[in-house]
C-alpha cells in the first residue's frame, strides 16, 4: 500500500491510499479523547471538501477493531459531522466499509447506525479482501448504472429530435 498519513494521534489514524482512492479512518485503541476526535473529524471534513474541489471520488474504510465505549456526546459529534458531509458523500464517496475482526465493535456502534442514514452503499466486513470485493462490486454497479443513464439520455435526445421533426 502507498499510504499517506493525513493525521495520526494517539487514538486515531487517518490515512489515504491515493492509487486505490481509499481513505481509511483507523481507531487505534479504546481510549476516548474528545479533543483528538474533534481534530480528526475536522481533518476528515476538510478531506471531503478538497475531494469536491478536485472532483474526485473515494472509498472509505473505517477500522473499528479497537473501538471503546464512548460517551453519547461522541456519537452526537460524529452524527453532526456526517450530516454536514451528506451532500459531499452523495457525490464523492463511492462506498464505505467498516472493518472489524468480529461483531463486538459493531454492537458498540449500533447507536451510530440507528442515528445516521447512509447515502452511499456500506457494509461491515471482517477482512480486507472482503472490502476490496465489495468495492469492486459497487464500482461495477456504478459503471453499469452510468451506462444505463447515458443510454437513457441518448434515447431522450432521440425522442426530442423525433418530436421536433414531426412538428415541422
Amino acid at each position: 500500500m502507498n499510504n499517506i498519513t493525513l493525521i495520526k494521534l494517539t487514538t486515531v489514524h487517518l490515512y489515504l491510499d491515493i492509487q486505490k482512492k481509499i481513505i481509511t479512518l483507523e481507531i487505534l485503541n479504546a481510549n476516548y479523547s474528545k479533543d483528538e476526535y474533534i481534530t480528526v473529524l475536522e481533518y476528515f471534513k476538510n478531506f471531503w471538501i478538497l475531494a469536491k474541489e478536485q472532483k474526485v471520488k473515494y472509498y472509505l474504510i473505517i477500522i473499528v477493531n479497537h473501538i471503546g465505549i464512548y460517551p453519547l456526546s461522541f456519537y452526537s459529534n460524529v452524527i453532526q459531522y456526517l450530516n454536514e458531509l451528506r451532500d459531499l458523500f452523495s457525490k464523492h464517496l463511492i462506498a464505505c466499509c467498516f472493518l472489524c475482526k468480529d461483531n463486538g465493535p459493531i454492537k458498540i456502534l449500533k447507536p451510530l447506525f440507528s442515528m445516521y442514514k447512509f447515502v452511499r452503499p456500506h457494509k461491515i466486513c471482517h477482512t480486507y479482501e472482503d472490502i476490496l470485493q465489495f468495492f469492486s462490486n459497487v464500482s461495477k454497479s456504478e459503471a453499469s448504472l452510468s451506462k444505463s443513464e447515458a443510454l437513457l439520455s441518448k434515447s431522450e435526445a432521440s425522442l426530442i429530435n423525433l418530436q421536433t421533426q414531426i412538428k415541422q
Side-chain angles (χ1 to χ4, degrees):
M1 284 192 247
N2 297 322
N3 293 333
I4 297 171
T5 293
L6 302 177
I7 187 169
K8 185 173 186 179
L9 304 168
T10 60
T11 58
V12 67
H13 186 195
L14 183 65
Y15 52 96
L16 178 65
D17 182 331
I18 293 177
Q19 288 181 331
K20 293 181 182 175
K21 298 215 180 288
I22 297 174
I23 183 166
T24 302
L25 178 68
E26 181 176 2
I27 297 171
L28 300 173
N29 58 57
N31 297 328
Y32 174 71
S33 167
K34 181 179 180 180
D35 290 339
E36 285 194 9
Y37 275 97
I38 288 177
T39 299
V40 82
L41 286 171
E42 280 297 318
Y43 272 78
F44 187 73
K45 179 180 176 181
N46 289 332
F47 171 83
W48 290 105
I49 291 169
L50 187 60
K52 175 187 175 187
E53 290 172 2
Q54 294 181 347
K55 298 178 176 138
V56 182
K57 292 184 175 188
Y58 290 92
Y59 298 96
L60 170 62
I61 298 173
I62 303 172
I63 303 173
V64 295
N65 289 319
H66 303 291
I67 196 164
I69 297 176
Y70 300 148
L72 191 55
S73 61
F74 164 79
Y75 294 101
S76 296
N77 285 335
V78 170
I79 296 301
Q80 177 186 341
Y81 277 89
L82 293 175
N83 283 329
E84 288 175 15
L85 294 169
R86 192 173 200 78
D87 288 340
L88 295 177
F89 285 161
S90 68
K91 295 176 182 145
H92 300 282
L93 173 65
I94 302 166
C96 172
C97 271
F98 291 84
L99 177 62
C100 59
K101 294 176 189 165
D102 57 50
N103 288 330
I106 298 307
K107 290 177 185 174
I108 292 172
L109 288 172
K110 278 196 177 199
L112 178 68
F113 293 145
S114 65
M115 294 166 62
Y116 180 73
K117 183 178 178 352
F118 291 86
V119 294
R120 301 295 300 149
H122 65 285
K123 185 176 180 178
I124 297 163
C125 294
H126 298 291
T127 67
Y128 190 74
E129 292 74 28
D130 290 344
I131 288 174
L132 295 179
Q133 183 61 51
F134 173 67
F135 286 167
S136 175
N137 292 343
V138 168
S139 291
K140 289 175 188 172
S141 295
E142 297 253 329
S144 177
L145 181 60
S146 293
K147 286 179 184 176
S148 297
E149 288 172 345
L151 286 172
L152 182 59
S153 294
K154 197 173 185 180
S155 297
E156 288 173 342
S158 295
L159 182 59
I160 291 169
N161 192 12
L162 182 61
Q163 288 174 334
T164 304
Q165 290 175 1
I166 292 172
K167 287 181 183 177
Q168 294 174 355

